Structure formats: structure tokens, C-alpha cells
């Protein structure tokens, strides 16, 4: 009832300034998007994009993503999660702060419908390798590629990503889906 439609339901965790989120929602008008972000300027920017583009399939929540997904999202109700360029916390002593950890991956996997996906992107190779291991260790999930996945046409290059590519940084896309049987 929140969207007035019943297309695929996709949650974006930490959308930053939201320009890519708005572009994806515009390119996939039959899907329903919920963007979760704690950064007030990013929330404001995405709300202005929603109004400017008249996006009827995108909603925003300014709150901690882990708490929202845990308390407000039913098991087996989500078609996909997008986690694009989360804070890498590059210092080893800060790795425990990374949002993509086994507990959060398990929570997202529980909320996915069978066949649903977790789509993660980073420009930190070490974090990408860690995510392959963490996602690969979740028994409800399986990799959709033999390693890293190609960037789908619907995901635009972000301003941040374009800058990184100009500087010679790599970008790694990881897509795992929930197994259809047994869960």
C-alpha cells in the first residue's frame, strides 16, 4: 500500500546523495525502492530528486539500516538489496565497523525472497575480497558469477566512482542470490 503497486521491492542501504538511486528508480519504474540513509544532506538531496523527477516508486527513510531491516522488514519480503560503495573503514582496526559483516548479511538473507539478491559494489579490492568470503559463507546465498559480476546497465556510474576510475581505482561488483530451495 505504500507504493500502490506490487512490483519487485528493492532496498538500498546507504544511498549517499541519492543520485544513482534516483537514476535506478527512474530506469526501473515497475520496481519499488526504499532508500535507507542516516546522512541528512543525502536524504534531502534524494527527496529533491524524487520531486524533480516525479518518482512514484521511491521512498526514503532516514534511520539506521540495520535497525530498519531488523525491526520493520518481514522475512522473505525483499526482492533485492543494493549496497553501493559503503564506507570501507580501510584501517584494519576499524574493519569491525564495516556494515557488510556476517550478521548483517544473514539478516538481509533472511529478508530476501527465494531468488532475491544482494548487490554490493566497492572500489576497495580488499573489501571486495572480504565480501566474496562473507557472502559465500552465508548458507542461504550463492554467487551469481564465478567471482565478480559485471556492472548491469541499470546501475549508473556514480560521481564518486567516475573520479575513482579516473584515478585508476578498480571497481568490484558482487551479486549473490538467495537459494530457491531449503530456506
Amino acid at each position: 500500500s505504500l507504493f500502490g503497486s506490487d512490483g519487485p521491492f528493492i532496498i538500498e542501504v546507504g544511498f549517499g546523495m541519492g543520485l544513482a538511486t534516483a537514476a535506478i528508480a527512474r530506469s526501473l519504474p515497475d520496481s519499488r525502492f526504499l532508500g535507507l540513509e542516516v546522512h541528512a544532506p543525502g536524504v534531502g538531496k534524494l527527496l529533491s530528486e524524487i520531486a524533480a523527477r516525479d518518482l512514484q516508486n521511491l521512498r526514503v527513510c532516514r534511520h539506521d539500516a540495520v535497525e530498519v531491516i531488523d525491526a520493520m522488514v518481514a522475512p522473505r519480503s525483499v526482492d533485492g538489496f543494493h549496497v553501493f560503495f559503503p564506507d570501507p573503514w580501510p584501517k584494519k582496526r576499524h574493519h569491525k565497523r564495516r556494515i557488510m559483516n556476517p550478521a548483517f548479511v544473514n539478516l538481509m538473507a533472511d529478508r530476501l525472497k527465494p531468488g532475491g539478491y544482494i548487490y554490493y559494489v566497492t572500489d576497495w579490492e580488499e573489501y571486495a575480497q572480504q565480501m566474496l568470503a562473507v557472502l559465500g559463507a552465508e548458507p542461504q546465498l550463492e554467487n551469481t558469477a564465478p567471482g565478480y559480476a559485471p556492472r548491469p546497465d541499470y546501475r549508473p556510474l556514480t560521481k564518486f566512482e567516475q573520479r575513482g576510475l579516473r584515478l585508476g581505482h578498480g571497481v568490484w561488483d558482487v551479486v549473490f542470490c538467495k537459494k530457491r530451495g531449503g530456506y
Side-chain angles (χ1 to χ4, degrees):
S1 63
L2 179 64
F3 292 91
S5 71
D6 59 354
F9 178 45
I10 300 164
I11 296 177
E12 180 155 353
V13 175
F15 55 76
M17 296 306 282
L19 296 176
T21 306
I24 292 169
R26 186 175 186 180
S27 72
L28 300 172
D30 294 330
S31 294
R32 302 167 298 149
F33 293 88
L34 174 62
L36 305 175
E37 179 60 66
V38 295
H39 184 62
V43 170
K45 179 64 176 166
L46 182 53
L47 289 172
S48 70
E49 290 295 317
I50 290 170
R53 299 179 191 207
D54 191 30
L55 296 172
Q56 301 297 312
N57 63 333
L58 175 56
R59 303 293 185 270
V60 177
C61 177
R62 182 180 176 214
H63 198 77
D64 179 83
V66 177
E67 291 177 8
V68 170
I69 294 166
D70 184 44
M72 302 167 86
V73 177
R76 306 182 107 188
S77 65
V78 179
D79 293 283
F81 284 100
H82 293 173
V83 187
F84 299 159
F85 303 99
D87 191 330
W89 295 101
K91 294 181 181 176
K92 189 150 182 89
R93 70 177 182 260
H94 294 154
H95 285 187
K96 63 184 175 273
R97 296 180 181 173
R98 289 178 170 175
I99 192 167
M100 294 297 286
N101 59 57
F104 187 51
V105 166
N106 177 258
L107 177 63
M108 288 190 294
D110 285 343
R111 298 313 190 251
L112 283 174
K113 294 176 182 177
Y117 66 89
I118 298 173
Y119 181 14
Y120 166 84
V121 184
T122 186
D123 61 338
W124 286 80
E125 185 174 16
E126 180 271 330
Y127 201 2
Q129 292 168 352
Q130 179 188 358
M131 287 322 328
L132 281 175
V134 169
L135 289 161
E138 172 54 54
Q140 299 180 73
L141 302 173
E142 58 191 358
N143 199 343
T144 64
Y148 300 110
R151 181 179 63 85
D153 292 338
Y154 71 80
R155 185 176 76 74
L157 292 175
T158 67
K159 180 179 175 183
F160 176 79
E161 183 178 7
Q162 289 173 12
R163 179 183 167 273
L165 291 171
R166 277 195 312 272
L167 295 172
H169 299 181
V171 174
W172 294 270
D173 292 51
V174 177
V175 182
F176 275 67
C177 69
K178 186 167 184 173
K179 296 174 184 174
R180 293 193 181 270
Y183 291 97

